C-alpha cells in the first residue's frame, strides 16, 4: 500500500462523498490531513475529521469557499499553521447543476466554473509557495470522465472539468523542475449525493451499469487508492496525466 510517511495532505470538499473517502484513505496510509469544506458543512466535516483521527494521524479542519481567493489564502495559512506545511493537495470540491445549453441560466454557468475551475486554480496557486520552498509537492485534481466525454445537461460541468485537465497539463510543465507533480483523476459514475443526479431513474442506472466493464456503479472508496498513488512517491515520475477511474465505462 502507498505510504504517506507522515506527509501532510490538504483535501478540499472532504466532508462527504468522494472527498470523505479520499480523506479516510489517505489517513489509513499515514498522511496527516488538513480537511476543507465550505462552512455550511461544518458538522459533516468535523465527523469526517473524527473518523480520520482514529487512524492515528494529525487532522485539522480548515473552512473556505474554494472560489473565494481571500478565504483560500486564509485556509492554506491555517493548514500550514496547524500542520507545518502541505505536501499533497487534492482538489476535490465540486458542484453539478444540471441544465441544457439552451435553457442554462448564466449564473449556473458561473457557479459551476467558479467552484470547479477557478477553485482549482486558487487553491493550487495558494499552496505552490509552500511546495516550492520545500522542493516537493503532489497536486491531484478530481476532474471527471464528463470532461472527456460528457452527457446531456452537463455541458458547463464538462467544460469545467476539461478546463482543469488543460490547466494540469500546463501546471505540470511549470512546476516539474521544482519537484512538484500535477495529475487528474477522472471518476466515472460514483454513488454520492452528486452521483445520484445521474442515477435517480432505475432505467438510467441500469444503462450506466451496462456500459461499464465492471458492471457496477462506483463507490467513493474506489477513487481513494488512485488518489493516494498520485499523492505519494510511487508516482514520482508521473505528471500531467488524467487517469480514468470509471470501472471501464464504454461510451459507444
Ligand atoms: P458531493 O457529494 O456533492 O460532495 C462535494 C463536497 O464539496 C460537498 O461537501 C460540497 O458542499 C463541497 N463544496 C461545494 N462547493 C464548495 C466550495 N465552493 N468550497 C468548498 N467545498 C465545496 O460530490 P462528490 O460526488 O463527492 O464529488 C466530488 C468531486 O468528484 C467533484 O469535483 C465532482 O465533480 C467529482 N466527480 C464526481 C462524480 C460522481 O459521480 N459523484 C463523477 C466524476 C467526478 P455542499 O454540498 O454544501 O455544496
Amino acid at each position: 500500500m502507498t505510504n504517506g510517511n507522515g506527509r501532510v495532505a490538504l483535501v478540499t470538499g472532504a466532508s462527504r462523498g468522494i472527498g470523505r473517502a479520499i480523506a479516510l484513505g489517505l489517513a489509513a496510509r499515514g498522511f496527516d490531513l488538513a480537511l476543507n469544506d465550505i462552512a455550511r458543512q461544518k458538522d459533516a466535516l468535523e465527523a469526517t475529521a473524527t473518523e480520520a483521527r482514529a487512524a492515528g494521524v494529525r487532522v485539522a479542519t480548515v473552512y473556505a469557499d474554494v472560489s473565494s481567493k481571500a478565504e483560500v489564502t486564509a485556509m492554506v495559512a491555517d493548514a500550514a499553521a496547524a500542520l507545518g506545511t502541505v505536501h499533497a493537495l487534492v482538489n476535490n470540491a465540486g458542484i453539478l447543476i444540471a441544465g441544457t445549453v439552451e435553457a442554462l441560466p448564466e449564473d449556473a454557468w458561473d457557479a459551476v466554473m467558479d467552484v470547479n475551475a477557478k477553485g482549482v486554480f486558487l487553491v493550487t496557486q495558494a499552496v505552490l509557495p509552500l511546495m516550492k520552498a520545500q522542493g516537493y509537492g503532489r497536486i491531484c485534481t478530481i476532474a471527471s470522465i464528463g470532461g472527456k466525454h460528457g452527457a446531456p445537461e452537463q455541458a458547463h460541468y464538462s467544460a469545467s472539468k476539461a478546463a482543469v485537465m488543460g490547466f494540469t497539463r500546463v501546471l505540470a510543465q511549470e512546476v516539474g523542475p521544482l519537484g512538484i507533480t500535477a495529475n487528474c483523476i477522472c471518476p466515472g459514475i460514483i454513488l454520492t449525493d452528486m452521483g445520484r443526479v445521474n442515477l435517480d431513474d432505475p432505467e438510467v442506472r441500469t444503462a450506466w451499469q451496462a456500459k461499464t466493464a465492471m458492471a457496477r456503479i462506483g463507490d467513493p472508496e474506489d477513487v481513494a487508492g488512485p488518489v493516494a498513488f498520485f499523492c505519494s512517491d510511487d508516482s514520482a515520475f508521473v505528471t500531467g496525466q488524467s487517469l480514468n477511474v470509471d470501472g471501464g465505462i464504454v461510451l459507444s
Side-chain angles (χ1 to χ4, degrees):
M1 184 189 275
T2 300
N3 192 335
N5 292 321
R7 289 202 169 112
V8 176
L10 167 59
V11 184
T12 66
S15 71
R16 62 198 178 97
I18 293 171
R20 174 180 170 277
I22 291 168
L24 298 179
L26 291 175
R29 290 165 173 83
F31 285 84
D32 290 331
L33 295 173
L35 299 184
N36 155 269
D37 214 296
I38 202 158
R40 60 178 175 256
Q41 293 296 343
K42 187 172 193 313
D43 291 351
L45 188 65
E46 295 302 331
T48 299
T50 299
E51 277 187 84
R53 285 187 192 104
V57 298
R58 296 184 299 155
V59 182
T61 50
V62 287
Y63 292 89
D65 176 340
V66 297
S67 67
S68 160
K69 185 174 171 73
E71 290 187 32
V72 165
T73 301
M75 170 186 78
V76 172
D78 288 348
L83 298 166
T85 189
V86 173
H87 298 100
L89 165 64
V90 183
N91 284 309
N92 167 78
I95 61 172
L96 169 60
I97 304 166
T100 62
V101 174
E102 193 177 13
L104 193 71
E106 183 180 355
D107 61 358
W109 170 277
D110 287 344
V112 166
M113 295 303 285
D114 275 358
V115 178
N116 295 7
K118 189 172 85 169
V120 169
F121 156 62
L122 289 176
V123 182
T124 300
Q125 188 181 55
V127 301
L128 279 181
L130 296 171
M131 292 181 172
K132 186 176 176 182
Q134 67 206 6
Y136 180 93
R138 298 281 180 267
I139 299 167
C140 179
T141 294
I142 310 303
S144 172
I145 57 160
K148 295 181 176 176
H149 305 280
E153 300 191 16
Q154 297 182 12
H156 51 320
Y157 179 81
S158 178
S160 73
K161 295 301 189 180
V164 296
M165 285 189 264
F167 173 81
T168 295
R169 284 190 291 272
V170 175
L171 176 68
Q173 296 170 64
E174 291 184 1
V175 300
L178 307 174
I180 303 168
T181 65
N183 293 285
C184 289
I185 295 281
C186 296
I189 309 293
I190 308 293
L191 193 52
T192 67
D193 291 339
M194 181 189 290
R196 284 188 187 91
V197 169
N198 295 304
L199 303 171
D200 268 354
D201 180 340
E203 273 184 39
V204 172
R205 183 178 177 137
T206 303
W208 280 118
Q209 281 174 332
K211 285 181 176 173
T212 305
M214 301 304 295
R216 67 175 176 84
I217 303 299
D219 295 316
E221 291 71 22
D222 288 318
V223 183
V227 171
F229 168 69
F230 279 142
C231 288
S232 78
D233 291 345
D234 291 345
S235 59
F237 204 53
V238 184
T239 197
Q241 303 303 303
S242 294
L243 174 68
N244 287 8
V245 178
D246 65 355
I249 284 184
V250 178
L251 290 167
S252 54

